[in-house]
Amino acid sequence: SPGTLALRALVAAASVLLTLGADPSEPSALIERGHELRRGGHLPEAILAYNQAVSQAPEHAPAHMALGNVLFAVGETQRAARSYAVAAALEPKDDQPHTNLCNAFRVLGELDGAVEACNAALSLNPQRQITYVNLGNALSARGEDAAAVRAYTTAISLDPTDHLAYTNLGSALLAAKRLVPAM
């Protein structure tokens, strides 16, 4: 039955954590185990490790960030956004949770929230290149192509090797009718 399969998966995940020696009383150890599991492709087990870290230390922002990242990777974007929001509330001077929240909101179609989260991240760290890419993506999705062009241009000025930023800039320029496609 589905319930039996879910229980077996949970028991297997717990066994993997115990085998790897995760100390359930130490959130940093659980986070590291989660990272190892994620790198090994064991995403359900990584989620379990990160959930345990969050349960053990709900005030530990890195646990919420790690959980959000793996949830985002498996397509649980709504839950990832909640984890990022908690991390941002716990570490209000850290721009990374806002940057990740921006991307999650964009994927969820919550474009105003995405732009707001990116702007919050940029107010904390105006040099984080990926935040400008995420902002450009959110602005582009909102149909604000001229603003998206500015965001991608800034991203490229911070990292001239980011090919995705160039691609997105070209798409925004086309949408803004400031670039004519080659025939």
Side-chain angles (χ1 to χ4, degrees):
S1 78
T4 303
L5 290 176
L7 181 59
R8 284 184 187 158
L10 185 60
V11 169
S15 295
V16 168
L17 285 175
L18 291 173
T19 301
L20 290 174
D23 179 356
S25 65
E26 177 56 46
S28 296
L30 286 165
I31 292 170
E32 186 52 41
R33 291 292 176 239
H35 292 341
E36 290 172 17
L37 290 163
R38 184 173 179 192
R39 283 190 296 270
H42 304 284
L43 300 184
E45 294 85 355
I47 290 171
L48 179 63
Y50 296 139
N51 271 324
Q52 281 187 298
V54 166
S55 293
Q56 290 294 324
E59 73 292 343
H60 194 66
H64 291 280
M65 283 295 294
L67 178 59
N69 289 340
V70 75
L71 289 170
F72 190 86
V74 300
E76 292 191 40
T77 310
Q78 187 71 45
R79 287 181 61 203
R82 282 195 299 270
S83 290
Y84 297 143
V86 170
L90 290 170
E91 293 290 340
K93 294 186 181 200
D94 184 357
D95 65 297
Q96 189 64 54
H98 296 285
T99 296
N100 290 20
L101 186 57
C102 170
N103 200 35
F105 277 159
R106 182 190 55 79
V107 169
L108 292 169
E110 297 177 22
L111 302 178
D112 291 340
V115 170
E116 184 179 317
C118 276
N119 285 331
L122 291 170
S123 73
L124 296 167
N125 182 358
Q127 298 302 309
R128 188 178 294 270
Q129 187 266 355
I130 189 63
T131 306
Y132 287 100
V133 174
N134 288 346
L135 177 61
N137 293 343
L139 291 166
S140 184
R142 276 198 338 192
E144 296 178 32
D145 299 306
V149 166
R150 288 190 298 276
Y152 295 133
T153 301
T154 302
I156 291 166
S157 73
L158 292 169
D159 181 2
T161 66
D162 185 346
H163 301 290
L164 180 61
Y166 284 103
T167 300
N168 292 358
L169 173 61
S171 296
L173 286 168
L174 282 171
K177 300 188 183 352
R178 293 175 52 193
L179 182 69
V180 178
M183 298 291 168

